[in-house]
Amino acid sequence: MDTAVHPVDAKLPFLRQFAFGLQHVLIMYTGCVTVPLVFGAAVGLDRDTIAMLISADLLIAGLITVIQSLGVGKLVGVRLPIICGATFAGLTPMILIANQYGLQAVYGSMLVGGIVGLALAWPFAKIVRFFPPLVTGAVLTVVGISLIGVAGGLIVGNDVSSPDFASPTSIMLAGVVIAVAVGFLCLGRGIWSQLGVLIALLAGTALAFPLGMIDVGGVSEAAWLGFPAPFHFGAPEFPITAVVAMSIVMAVVFAESTASMLALSEITGKRLGKADIARGLAGDGLSAVLGGVFNAFVDTVFNQNVGAVATTRVHSRYVTATSGVMLIVLGALPKASSVVAALPQPVIGGVGLILFATVALVGIETLRKVDMSDRINSTIAAVAVGVGLLPEFAEGLFEHFPSAAQIILGSGITLAAITAFSLNLLFNHTRLGTSARAAVRRDTPVPSPESSSRTGVANEPAHI
């Protein structure tokens, strides 16, 4: 009997496992801490509170990474080499909820959204075919583009009346950060290319020191060791609109994580069943529950680390579990989080601009898997992206609607998700869609075998 251990389940020598685990942390770190940095700045939190958010973010990301890598019985964890971190998909809805209802509602709605996610993990794994690249690609494109405005606000400021608004110094600093990142990402080799964004952040911070843009006075007062307190902002609140918005965010996260898990399955050769996918999605739901309690964020699979698994060909899930332990340790060091929270906003904005635009490009790349010569597919994608971007380009579009409705309608990500899912369901999974496609076939030439191999409906892989 063949008892060979699958590479995913193989343990490496300690030093190699530690080195590869550290590399994963360095690759994901900037993207992970950017979410609390941007959220804290957008809702006007002070530096100490932002530092607390960073600690909570790293702590929960590390815990979920360990759970996803090692698994907890038959309940949670896909048992693949997965790195988890805060998703950008929840950022805009969280900002809107904070502005409308307050931070207690942000974390209350996240908590309930996580419970909904846990309840729907297994059913969702069975209906993953309703979230093909046509849906996920459109949503990810809107996620990236809609967040570029947030990055711009960090660079120029959000208070037009402030004397520092659109300061040339701030804009030039962000420009330097972007230039350094481009240099390393495009010209660097190996690890230097992978760490390009982190190096740019460090370079921008170093340049900001002589410009007087960094205040490290509070760093010395931060404790060396500590853990985020549950419900830091007070007892959670549960406005129904906020809960609905965060539940929709969970659906978006589920679709994104499913695609990443299937990609890792192909990369590592580890076959997945519906139960494996469901346990992985339960990990996302658990991250929202823990995030709601400990003031963190909803986690998803980080695609840059999926790329690292493919590039290094190191498939061991014990490597990513080691990364998770490192993140937990970092989350327990408030002084380190305080240093990160002291970073100037133009530097964060420059880094965020690259990361957010990359998310949009991932969405576009996902849409390339769809046959856009099919006018139904192209119409669904166009309408979903257009509707999703409306709140970003038409300021005050829904200002005369009830304030509760503005939480859902004001989030382009939510609108894109609802639009893409509904239209895909209508035209790719009903008799109306069958009739529409028959009419399209009558009106168009017979497609070549190459183009007809791509459709808007993602068939389930044979191993699921």
Side-chain angles (χ1 to χ4, degrees):
M1 183 176 67
D2 185 11
T3 59
V5 177
H6 193 282
V8 167
D9 301 315
K11 295 182 180 179
L12 305 181
F14 175 78
L15 289 179
R16 288 190 65 201
Q17 192 160 296
F18 181 87
F20 284 117
L22 178 61
Q23 177 177 261
H24 272 298
V25 170
L26 293 175
I27 290 171
M28 64 82 70
Y29 187 84
T30 305
C32 190
V33 300
T34 297
V35 174
L37 285 170
V38 172
F39 175 73
V43 300
L45 299 180
D46 59 69
R47 188 180 63 191
D48 290 341
T49 305
I50 293 175
M52 182 275 297
L53 293 181
I54 293 170
S55 293
D57 176 39
L58 294 173
L59 181 68
I60 301 305
L63 184 59
I64 297 301
T65 295
V66 172
I67 290 173
Q68 291 283 35
S69 299
L70 302 183
V72 178
K74 296 182 179 181
L75 299 176
V76 187
V78 69
R79 292 179 174 85
L80 283 177
I82 277 177
I83 298 290
C84 296
T87 175
F88 293 121
L91 190 53
T92 299
M94 288 177 66
I95 293 171
L96 290 171
I97 293 169
N99 291 335
Q100 183 67 42
Y101 296 111
L103 291 168
Q104 292 162 290
V106 169
Y107 290 104
S109 61
M110 184 186 300
L111 175 60
V112 176
I115 294 172
V116 171
L118 285 171
L120 295 181
W122 271 260
F124 191 95
K126 297 179 181 179
I127 62 166
V128 66
R129 65 193 182 94
F130 296 117
F131 290 84
L134 179 59
V135 174
T136 58
V139 174
L140 286 174
T141 301
V142 171
V143 169
I145 295 176
S146 63
L147 288 173
I148 289 176
V150 175
L154 291 171
I155 294 171
V156 303
N158 294 300
D159 184 2
V160 180
S161 63
S162 171
D164 294 328
F165 180 79
S167 164
T169 302
S170 297
I171 295 173
M172 285 189 291
L173 179 59
V176 170
V177 170
I178 294 171
V180 172
V182 169
F184 276 91
L185 291 170
C186 296
L187 302 177
R189 295 291 181 268
I191 190 67
W192 294 108
S193 175
Q194 293 174 329
L195 299 180
V197 173
L198 180 61
I199 293 170
L201 189 149
L202 296 175
T205 303
L207 183 59
F209 258 113
L211 297 175
M213 300 179 68
I214 299 180
D215 178 14
V216 294
V219 174
S220 60
E221 301 174 3
W224 279 105
L225 186 66
F227 290 92
F231 302 118
H232 173 84
F233 299 104
E237 297 178 358
F238 312 100
I240 185 62
T241 307
V243 169
V244 170
M246 290 307 296
S247 298
I248 293 173
V249 167
M250 286 306 307
V252 174
V253 170
F254 274 10
E256 184 180 352
S257 287
T258 299
S260 299
M261 286 187 283
L262 292 176
L264 271 171
S265 174
E266 296 297 329
I267 291 168
T268 63
K270 187 69 179 283
R271 298 167 68 85
L272 295 181
K274 285 189 176 70
D276 299 307
I277 295 291
R279 289 195 301 270
L281 297 179
D284 290 341
L286 181 61
S287 77
V289 172
L290 295 176
V293 174
F294 291 100
N295 326 293
F297 300 85
V298 181
D299 287 336
T300 188
V301 180
F302 264 32
N303 284 314
Q304 57 263 49
N305 293 91
V306 173
V309 171
T311 301
T312 63
R313 298 182 182 178
V314 177
H315 298 166
S316 172
R317 58 193 175 97
Y318 294 98
V319 167
T320 52
T322 301
S323 303
V325 173
M326 293 178 183
L327 290 170
I328 292 172
V329 171
L330 288 171
L333 299 174
K335 191 175 289 291
S337 298
S338 183
V339 171
V340 176
L343 297 177
Q345 291 191 7
V347 173
I348 302 168
V351 168
L353 181 68
I354 297 172
L355 294 174
F356 300 156
T358 300
V359 173
L361 290 177
V362 170
I364 294 170
E365 183 65 25
T366 302
L367 285 174
R368 289 184 60 191
K369 300 175 184 177
V370 181
D371 180 15
M372 287 301 174
S373 65
D374 180 319
R375 75 183 185 208
I376 291 179
N377 288 341
S378 60
T379 299
I380 293 173
V383 172
V385 172
V387 170
L389 291 178
L390 259 181
E392 306 303 323
F393 293 100
E395 187 176 351
L397 179 66
F398 299 110
E399 66 178 12
H400 296 300
F401 283 63
S403 58
Q406 291 183 36
I407 298 295
I408 295 177
L409 300 177
S411 170
I413 298 166
T414 302
L415 283 179
I418 293 173
T419 303
F421 174 79
S422 301
L423 291 179
N424 177 67
L425 192 65
L426 180 64
F427 288 106
N428 284 323
H429 297 280
T430 66
R431 291 182 179 179
L432 176 63
T434 302
S435 300
R437 289 192 175 278
V440 168
R441 283 194 294 270
R442 289 194 297 269
D443 294 343
T444 57
V446 177
S448 66
E450 182 177 321
S451 64
S452 63
S453 66
R454 296 177 295 158
T455 67
V457 183
N459 295 320
E460 291 186 273
H463 56 274
I464 290 187

